[in-house]
Amino acid sequence: MNKFCMQISALSSNEAFVRSTVSAFCAHLNPTLEQLDEIKTAVSEAFTNCVVHAYSRDEQQTIDVEVSLEKGIASIIIEDHGKGIEDVEKAMQPFFTTRPEQERSGMGFTLMNTFMDSVTVTSQVGSGTRVVMTKIIKEDH
């Protein structure tokens, strides 16, 4: 297994860095360009959710990112220690948003589910949210 972890400030400007870093690390598995784009999109959505929803753009907060590569599978964890999600099942419904005044589409979790092979969200109100996403790069592990 190959793995990296980082903790980064919850700044919107860091989203591109996280997206690029995760996809560059996943390149070790020799994914297609389409698979890399899907990973980038899912990571962007997860990171942005932390910045906007978990921390309400509080730049003093941090986001934990962990990526592991094993047997042709990329596992990506994006975790915050923010306000948490009251109803994860409801939050994962298409078009659901807690920020309609900011013209949010409510498609973040839907995009993550579309582009990744699995997405698991665990959350506790007042403690934060953990998004675990996996992408199968090579079927013949």
Side-chain angles (χ1 to χ4, degrees), residues 75-93:
S75 297
I76 303 161
I77 300 171
I78 310 283
E79 185 172 13
D80 66 67
H81 305 283
K83 63 177 75 174
I85 301 170
E86 283 185 38
D87 186 340
V88 172
E89 189 175 319
K90 184 176 180 181
M92 292 185 78
Q93 296 299 311

Side-chain angles (χ1 to χ4, degrees), residues 13-94:
S13 58
N14 285 338
E15 178 267 329
F17 174 78
V18 171
R19 178 185 68 225
S20 297
T21 303
V22 170
S23 67
F25 190 75
C26 290
H28 292 285
L29 295 177
N30 198 25
T32 65
L33 289 177
E34 182 179 356
Q35 288 171 323
L36 276 180
D37 284 342
E38 291 170 349
I39 289 168
K40 287 179 185 179
T41 299
V43 167
S44 292
E45 293 297 331
F47 188 88
T48 299
N49 278 353
C50 296
V51 171
V52 173
H53 300 289
Y55 295 135
S56 301
R57 300 190 186 276
D58 179 353
E59 298 179 353
Q60 302 302 311
Q61 302 300 321
T62 59
I63 298 168
D64 299 323
V65 179
E66 180 180 313
V67 182
S68 59
L69 310 176
E70 186 172 25
K71 297 181 180 177
I73 299 173
S75 297
I76 303 161
I77 300 171
I78 310 283
E79 185 172 13
D80 66 67
H81 305 283
K83 63 177 75 174
I85 301 170
E86 283 185 38
D87 186 340
V88 172
E89 189 175 319
K90 184 176 180 181
M92 292 185 78
Q93 296 299 311

